[in-house]
Amino acid sequence: MLATGTAVDGGFSNQVLDAQIGFAALMNALSRPGTLQSPGIHVVPPSPLSAMTAIVALTLCDADTVVWLDETVNTSAVRDWLAFHTGTAITAEKELAQFAILDAVRSVADLQGFAAGSQEYPDRSTSIILQVAGFSSAQKFQLSGPGIKEVVSFAPEGLPEGFPDFWAANRALFPRGVDLIFTSKDQLAALPRTTRIDEKLGGHDVRSR
Amino acid sequence: MTLQDTGLAAYNFAYLDEQTKRMIRRAILKAIAIPGYQVPFASREMPMPYGWGTGGVQVTASIIGPEDVLKVIDQGSDDTTNAVSIRKFFEKTAGVETTTRTGEATVIQTRHRIPEAPLKEGQVLVYQVPIPEPLRFLEPRETETRKMHALEEYGLMHVKLYEDIARNGHIATTYAYPVKVEGRYVMDPSPTPKFDNPKMDNCAALQLFGAGREKRIYAIPPYTSVVSLDFEDHPFEVNRFEQPCALCGAEGVYLDEMILDDKGGRMFCCSDTDFCEERRGEAESVSASNGEIV
Ligand SMILES: [Zn+2]
């Protein structure tokens, strides 16, 4: 038996079925932007990687992917754990990353510089996985766009100042752009590049209905 | 219940290995994020010939879980050889429950039709696509069509539709009628009759398209704008049928011609067999409660 906390522990207990559950949560998250998904899978990654971030990585990463880690999550324990459980390559170049894992960001500059894909291959872009404390921020966004029937309220915590402008600029690149996956301790949500965000003013909906 | 319990240990769950599923899953997520854009993927050999929906089968295999309920239709029918064998394939490799009822399915794989009953949130419609590129018949070179999509240069497509009008007085294309997704990408709904195009628009279900031979995956998220290409003086119109279904009396649905005998006898009835059967079932139970004989 190996002691807990080593690189070989804490992955999916059922590689096949857990990955399917993780993927279903991601597919729902991207096709219904801003909705909170709770895949009930138990994984124990090394801190500061959250369980939900680990589920995303275990579901999507393998020897064919390249991952970028920000300063906070780029520890040897995290690198070893990802290498053992997914086989993913790690890069120091933002532009080369298919996936990026970021802990609470300080400014929008932290979200910039990733691959947006080309006009011919807009799919060659980075999916940014952003760890957040939760989804109960006082600052609420109103989301609209593909996947949203009328409007969805979305309140990820700890976003940097200027995030709405960053997102508007990203959206203006369409079909190029990054996609964002938000992970809290036990939930995930996503903003695909198509989603429009409006800030909720004074707690009232901007829209009339 | 474990895989061993269900006697599935000899198979990968849903046939595909995990690395292949991950690759397809990554492509599906990009496809959802870029509605109507064809994402290239490394299509795998499947234990069935191309033309049997290997692209759709790979997409279904990558999304389906043990809790899903699968429906498979070919034309509008659940009972063709193709539909039956794909259903059996997933019963055997994934142990999933299957159904013919549109309302009970969580995943519906189709070759041509979109069910007549409105789809719901949480359902996924998977299309088997033979030719994903709407510009292919106008421009055979992949490098050129890719450039046209990149620059949003869809003039050729309009020219082709207009030539149709000049020749026939109307747009003669009745299948694979091109659509524009969310105001950006022109997309081929594939062998779907244009009758079904309006069902793609603002649909509550997620729509995924898999082309095995051509190695492309594309998607329409729920509640996304899908507009059939047309002209101001020649607006898009769906085919109309002169008579209602001969079996259930439904109007405004897609009908197939059925040959009844070798003397030219024929009738028109619902192409969506489940829709037709459910309507007849309802009619029978209503008549039965009225004490009538149907
Ligand atoms: Zn009928």
Side-chain angles (χ1 to χ4, degrees):
Chain A
M1 281 294 285
L2 288 144
T4 52
T6 68
V8 299
D9 292 320
F12 283 155
S13 53
N14 185 319
Q15 302 283 345
V16 174
L17 299 182
D18 286 355
Q20 192 275 332
I21 294 168
F23 175 70
L26 283 162
M27 187 171 76
N28 288 338
L30 277 149
S31 57
R32 311 297 309 276
T35 60
L36 304 182
Q37 307 293 323
S38 311
I41 311 164
H42 184 68
V43 298
V44 188
S47 167
L49 214 56
S50 76
M52 209 47 53
T53 302
I55 288 169
V56 176
L58 293 169
T59 300
L60 297 177
C61 296
D62 57 25
D64 295 331
T65 58
V66 179
V67 173
W68 184 92
L69 304 172
D70 81 353
E71 245 172 60
T72 315
V73 292
N74 192 5
T75 66
S76 61
V78 168
R79 287 196 306 270
D80 290 350
W81 192 86
L82 287 173
F84 180 83
H85 290 279
T86 72
T88 188
I90 307 279
T91 182
E93 303 291 325
K94 282 181 158 185
E95 272 184 26
L96 299 180
Q98 280 151 290
F99 297 95
I101 301 175
L102 285 73
D103 201 55
V105 294
R106 288 180 303 271
S107 79
V108 290
D110 294 340
L111 296 169
Q112 289 165 337
F114 292 104
S118 65
Q119 205 66 20
E120 277 82 9
Y121 291 95
D123 54 310
R124 294 180 181 172
S125 54
T126 308
S127 298
I128 300 174
I129 303 159
L130 181 57
Q131 300 199 146
V132 296
F135 297 98
S136 311
S137 171
Q139 184 193 29
K140 287 187 170 36
F141 298 136
Q142 297 281 34
L143 309 184
S144 57
I148 300 166
K149 191 174 185 183
E150 285 180 354
V151 73
V152 160
S153 183
F154 185 50
E157 293 167 32
L159 292 192
E161 202 176 315
F163 179 81
D165 290 339
F166 160 78
W167 191 251
N170 182 61
R171 207 180 154 268
L173 296 174
F174 191 86
R176 299 166 64 236
V178 297
D179 306 309
L180 270 177
I181 298 165
F182 298 82
T183 53
S184 72
K185 190 161 70 63
D186 51 5
Q187 289 180 309
L188 65 87
L191 289 183
R193 63 196 78 178
T194 48
T195 304
R196 285 182 292 275
I197 65 178
D198 295 300
E199 284 174 88
K200 213 171 181 178
L201 300 173
H204 295 289
D205 291 3
V206 176
R207 297 197 175 192
S208 55
R209 34 177 286 186
Chain B
M1 192 170 68
T2 68
L3 288 179
Q4 280 72 16
D5 294 336
T6 56
L8 294 171
Y11 300 91
N12 287 317
F13 179 79
Y15 187 79
L16 293 176
D17 62 272
E18 289 304 296
Q19 190 186 359
T20 299
K21 282 185 200 160
R22 271 193 301 274
M23 177 266 296
I24 293 173
R25 286 167 177 168
R26 292 194 294 262
I28 290 172
L29 296 184
K30 293 289 189 195
I32 292 169
I34 316 167
Y37 167 72
Q38 302 163 50
V39 182
F41 81 108
S43 182
R44 293 289 191 264
E45 292 293 324
M46 297 298 285
M48 56 193 74
Y50 286 123
W52 277 61
T54 57
V57 168
Q58 289 178 79
V59 169
T60 297
S62 301
I63 67 171
I64 205 160
E67 308 299 321
D68 279 308
V69 180
L70 176 70
K71 170 182 166 80
V72 183
I73 44 176
D74 182 13
Q75 301 289 359
S77 169
D78 298 83
D79 302 324
T80 66
T81 314
N82 188 308
V84 170
S85 52
I86 291 173
R87 208 158 57 225
K88 285 205 172 127
F89 175 79
F90 284 109
E91 283 170 357
K92 197 169 168 186
T93 61
V96 294
E97 193 185 326
T98 58
T99 184
T100 59
R101 295 291 177 94
T102 298
E104 290 171 7
T106 56
V107 178
I108 302 172
Q109 183 171 328
T110 180
R111 184 147 78 142
H112 311 86
R113 295 293 323 286
I114 299 174
E116 302 289 358
L119 299 179
K120 299 176 297 194
E121 286 185 9
Q123 289 185 310
V124 186
L125 184 59
V126 178
Y127 297 75
Q128 308 167 202
V129 177
I131 301 161
E133 179 49 72
L135 307 167
R136 182 63 69 234
F137 295 111
L138 307 169
E139 171 53 69
R141 287 167 298 179
E142 155 76 15
T143 48
E144 291 304 308
T145 54
R146 188 164 286 282
K147 217 173 282 170
M148 290 156 77
H149 283 295
L151 300 170
E152 217 175 337
E153 267 181 21
Y154 295 126
L156 262 186
M157 181 58 90
H158 282 96
V159 169
K160 187 222 170 221
L161 291 173
Y162 216 88
E163 281 172 358
D164 241 26
I165 294 170
R167 200 174 307 124
N168 307 297
H170 60 97
I171 298 174
T173 305
T174 52
Y175 287 86
Y177 190 105
V179 295
K180 198 166 215 183
V181 180
E182 200 59 21
R184 178 56 178 82
Y185 281 101
V186 166
M187 192 197 91
D188 192 337
S190 221
T192 311
K194 74 172 181 181
F195 180 88
D196 285 337
N197 277 16
K199 296 191 187 116
M200 297 182 164
D201 179 40
N202 207 32
C203 178
L206 168 64
Q207 302 174 75
L208 300 176
F209 300 76
R213 191 177 44 218
E214 303 272 331
K215 304 179 170 59
R216 293 289 183 276
I217 287 171
Y218 49 107
I220 305 172
Y223 306 117
T224 295
S225 152
V226 178
V227 177
S228 301
L229 300 187
D230 64 358
F231 301 93
E232 250 174 54
D233 49 345
H234 285 89
F236 172 81
E237 283 179 344
V238 296
N239 11 357
R240 282 181 220 286
F241 296 89
E242 308 272 312
Q243 64 280 78
C245 169
L247 297 175
C248 75
E251 291 177 32
V253 297
Y254 196 80
L255 302 178
D256 282 337
E257 185 177 354
M258 290 206 1
I259 307 295
L260 295 171
D261 53 43
D262 53 8
K263 299 184 189 74
R266 56 186 197 150
M267 66 172 185
F268 287 88
C269 53
C270 292
S271 129
D272 183 336
T273 52
D274 169 63
F275 178 79
C276 196
E277 278 161 23
E278 288 201 34
R279 276 178 56 88
R280 281 180 282 152
E282 282 165 22
E284 268 169 39
S285 52
V286 169
S287 319
S289 63
N290 292 343
E292 293 168 14
I293 297 163
V294 181

